[in-house]
């Protein structure tokens, strides 16, 4: 086994972390799904931001700053509150859902590359071809995996450049194109006189709109990198808030821009973003720019996938070293990267990509995997919000460099409670198939969702049941939980706190563990 104590000297700055957050959260592929709602799409975005994105950002900022020298992300946060089993469930679900999510976002990347040609009728047919999609999905994914093998330095560079070139710039261009289009007398396909508040009597609209929560998922993921951030107690919360603001602006303005050029009845969840760009360019006689945007969007997909390949897998690797996964999953390459976990993850992504052949369409496959991803991730979020509230009482004297509310726990109850209830609502609604998309057999839909949730929730408990003391890597520097009151654990905690203080010139001391 390679030395598992290899540490990267790279420190992530605020700007890099902001871009990594935006890339991890924002995917322009989600714009068509909400553009169907016209003016009311802004309501869904703002509502989800208030009850999900902002609570996630605030809670993640407090928890990450609260445990700046302890690894594990979700595992740490949930485990400190509810014990190692539920902590392992949280980090496991974060890793599994990202693995299931890869084929959906990569499908968008495949569609982007299909529009490189100048014959857009042929491009559209190619984008809906299952064999083409499988080949491109796997090619982009394995390229991202190979880059991840190079270490955090490569991941940060490619994510930053790809996030700017493939997400931020295209989003700005899309908005600018819409403004120019309207100023040049173009006919808007969106009814700007429509109702801002949606028709809640139409349950199907509510079901499809629930998927917007997944658009905002991931802001907490950078908490895994908290020890790689320069002055994390200050810079991490700052990066989270800036990233959240940019995220909301991109989604709202981007969705409106897409709705201006494509009628709601013609929107396709997979292809419409590229069609929207192409329609704008045709109107302005700039058709040659469509392939350029297609390549940029594909690069953005690579950057987003890279962020997620490196993030959750690093988190579960650190947890595995502490004895929660067999030694096979703890092996690294010469750069200290979790190679076997990445290989297993790649095998799962390859298998999921091959499932295209049993689904009635690329669009239906895209939707069902997206829904399963939402369900699994929301379970982890429910645990995270509950943990944040509970830790206010279990570890009430612990230093919180960033704190929700200067005094008392009332604001935490409001923020965490709203996030918990919002996540619970989205979780329930995500089981219902949307009528807007031809899903084929509803039996397959429910079997995949209920079966998938059951299997992936039970799996980590089965792993822990067979856990052995020999799984603990003696070279692991995983910091014990605060509730582990034995002398050895407390000594390791004190040593880790002291090392962090000396390195960052801060004080982390708090009252003894209760």
């Amino acid at each position: 086994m390679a030395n598992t104590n290899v540490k990267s000297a790279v420190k992530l700055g605020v700007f890099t972390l902001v871009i990594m957050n935006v890339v991890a959260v924002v995917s322009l592929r989600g714009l068509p799904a909400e553009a169907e709602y016209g003016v009311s799409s802004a309501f869904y975005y703002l509502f989800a931001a208030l009850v999900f994105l902002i609570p996630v950002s605030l809670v993640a900022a407090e928890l990450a700053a609260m445990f700046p020298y302890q690894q594990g992300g979700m595992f740490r946060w949930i485990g400190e509150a509810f014990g190692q089993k539920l902590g392992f469930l949280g980090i496991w679900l974060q890793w599994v859902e990202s693995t299931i999510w890869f084929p959906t976002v990569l499908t968008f990347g495949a569609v982007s590359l299909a529009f490189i040609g100048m014959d857009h009728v042929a491009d559209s047919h190619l984008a809906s071809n299952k064999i083409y999609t499988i080949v491109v999905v796997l090619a982009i994914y394995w390229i991202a995996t190979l880059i991840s093998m190079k270490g955090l330095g490569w991941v940060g560079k490619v994510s930053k450049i790809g996030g700017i070139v493939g997400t931020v710039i295209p989003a700005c261009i899309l908005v600018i194109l819409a403004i120019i289009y309207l100023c040049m007398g173009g006919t808007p396909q969106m009814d700007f006189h429509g109702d801002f508040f949606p028709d809640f009597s139409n349950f199907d609209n509510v079901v499809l709109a629930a998927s917007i929560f997944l658009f905002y998922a991931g802001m907490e993921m950078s908490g895994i990198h908290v020890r790689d951030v320069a002055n994390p107690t200050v810079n991490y919360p700052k990066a989270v808030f800036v990233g959240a603001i940019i995220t909301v602006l991109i989604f709202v303005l981007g969705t409106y821009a897409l709705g201006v050029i494509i009628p709601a009845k013609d929107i396709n969840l997979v292809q419409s973003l590229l069609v929207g760009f192409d329609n704008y360019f045709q109107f302005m006689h700039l058709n040659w720019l469509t392939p350029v945007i297609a390549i940029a969007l594909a690069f953005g997909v690579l950057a987003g996938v890279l962020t997620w390949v490196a993030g959750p897998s690093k988190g579960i690797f650190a947890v595995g070293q502490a004895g929660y996964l067999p030694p096979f999953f703890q092996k690294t390459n010469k750069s200290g990267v979790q190679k076997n976990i990445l290989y297993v993850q790649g095998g799962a992504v390859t298998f999921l990509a091959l499932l295209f052949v049993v689904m009635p369409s690329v669009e239906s496959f895209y939707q069902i995997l997206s829904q399963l991803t939402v369900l699994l991730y929301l379970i982890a979020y429910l645990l995270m919000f509950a943990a944040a509230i509970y830790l206010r009482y279990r570890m009430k004297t612990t230093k919180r460099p960033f704190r929700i509310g200067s005094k008392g726990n009332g604001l935490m109850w409001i923020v965490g409670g709203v996030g918990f209830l919002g996540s619970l609502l989205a979780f329930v609604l995500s089981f219902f198939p949307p009528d807007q998309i031809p899903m084929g057999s509803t039996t397959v839909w429910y079997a995949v969702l209920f079966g998938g949730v059951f299997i992936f929730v039970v799996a980590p408990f089965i792993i822990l049941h067979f856990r052995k003391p020999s799984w603990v890597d003696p070279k692991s520097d995983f910091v014990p939980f605060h509730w582990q009151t034995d002398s050895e654990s407390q000594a390791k905690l004190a040593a880790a706190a002291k090392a962090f203080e000396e390195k960052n010139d801060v004080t982390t001391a708090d009252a003894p563990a209760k």
Side-chain angles (χ1 to χ4, degrees), residues 93 210 213 371-380 382 420-432 449-450 453 457:
L93 290 176
F213 280 73
Q371 295 302 102
L372 180 57
T373 301
V374 171
L375 289 166
L376 296 176
Y377 213 166
L378 286 172
I379 294 173
L382 288 169
F420 184 93
L421 294 176
S423 299
L424 184 61
L425 173 64
F427 179 80
V428 173
L429 292 176
S430 294
F431 280 104
F432 294 91
L449 293 190
F450 281 99
V453 169
V457 168

Side-chain angles (χ1 to χ4, degrees), residues 116-440:
I116 290 177
M118 297 304 293
D119 183 347
H120 301 311
V121 174
D123 294 344
S124 181
H125 286 301
L126 180 62
S128 60
N129 183 283
K130 294 180 181 179
I131 302 302
Y132 160 80
T133 303
I134 291 173
V135 171
V136 177
V137 161
L138 295 180
I140 297 177
Y141 176 79
W142 283 105
I143 289 173
T145 298
L146 292 175
I147 294 175
S148 297
M149 293 287 188
K150 298 290 186 180
L152 183 62
W154 277 71
V155 172
K157 291 176 183 177
V158 176
S159 294
K160 181 165 63 175
I161 297 172
I164 295 173
V165 173
T167 300
V168 177
I169 292 178
C172 293
I173 291 175
L174 184 62
V175 174
I176 293 171
L177 288 172
I179 294 172
I180 295 174
Y181 174 81
L182 294 174
C183 291
M184 292 176 64
T187 303
Q189 302 299 318
M190 177 182 286
D191 180 13
F192 286 102
H193 299 291
D195 294 330
F196 174 76
F197 294 98
D199 178 14
F200 289 110
S201 64
N202 188 340
F203 186 69
D204 293 329
N205 286 344
V206 177
V207 170
L208 190 58
S211 63
I212 196 172
F213 280 73
L214 179 63
F215 299 171
Y216 283 144
M219 190 63 79
E220 86 300 330
M221 194 267 291
S222 59
I224 293 167
H225 298 300
V226 70
R227 298 211 306 180
D228 302 308
V229 179
N231 194 9
T233 54
V234 175
N235 289 337
Y236 181 84
K238 187 186 299 183
V240 164
F241 293 130
V242 174
I245 293 171
I246 294 174
T247 297
V248 174
L249 288 175
I250 289 176
F251 278 138
V252 173
L253 298 179
T255 298
Y256 273 24
L258 198 60
V260 164
I261 198 67
I262 302 180
K265 63 182 179 62
D266 296 332
I267 287 177
N268 175 287
L269 296 188
V270 180
Q271 298 185 22
S272 284
L273 181 63
L274 272 298
V275 172
F277 272 110
D278 187 52
N279 289 352
Y280 278 126
F281 290 141
Q282 286 189 32
F283 178 81
M284 299 172 192
H285 306 290
L286 298 171
N287 302 56
W288 59 273
L289 279 175
T290 298
V292 176
I293 285 292
I295 294 172
L297 290 172
F299 188 37
V301 169
L302 173 63
V305 169
L306 185 58
T307 300
W308 281 88
V309 167
S313 64
K314 179 183 177 182
I316 200 165
F317 167 69
V319 171
Q321 285 185 300
Y324 294 87
L325 289 175
F328 172 82
F329 293 96
Q330 302 175 27
K331 293 185 178 181
T332 64
N333 62 12
K334 61 183 180 181
S335 299
V337 177
Q338 55 282 4
K339 63 177 184 178
N340 281 4
I341 287 180
L342 292 180
Y343 289 144
V344 170
Q345 183 171 279
V349 171
T350 301
F351 171 75
L352 288 171
L354 296 176
L355 289 181
F356 272 109
V357 297
V358 302
M359 297 302 292
S361 70
V362 171
E363 193 177 19
S364 63
F365 176 84
Y366 175 98
Q367 185 64 27
I368 196 167
L369 282 192
S370 292
Q371 295 302 102
L372 180 57
T373 301
V374 171
L375 289 166
L376 296 176
Y377 213 166
L378 286 172
I379 294 173
Y381 278 124
L382 288 169
L383 290 170
M384 185 187 79
F385 285 123
I389 295 173
Y390 185 63
L391 286 175
R392 281 295 184 91
Y393 300 91
R394 182 168 192 166
M395 299 179 66
K396 58 185 176 182
T397 59
T398 296
K399 188 177 181 64
R400 288 170 169 81
F402 173 80
R403 193 178 195 278
I404 301 176
S406 57
K407 295 181 179 180
N409 297 326
L411 191 56
M412 170 56 85
W413 271 102
I414 294 174
V415 173
V418 167
F420 184 93
L421 294 176
S423 299
L424 184 61
L425 173 64
F427 179 80
V428 173
L429 292 176
S430 294
F431 280 104
F432 294 91
D435 284 351
Q436 295 94 329
I437 303 172
M439 295 307 304

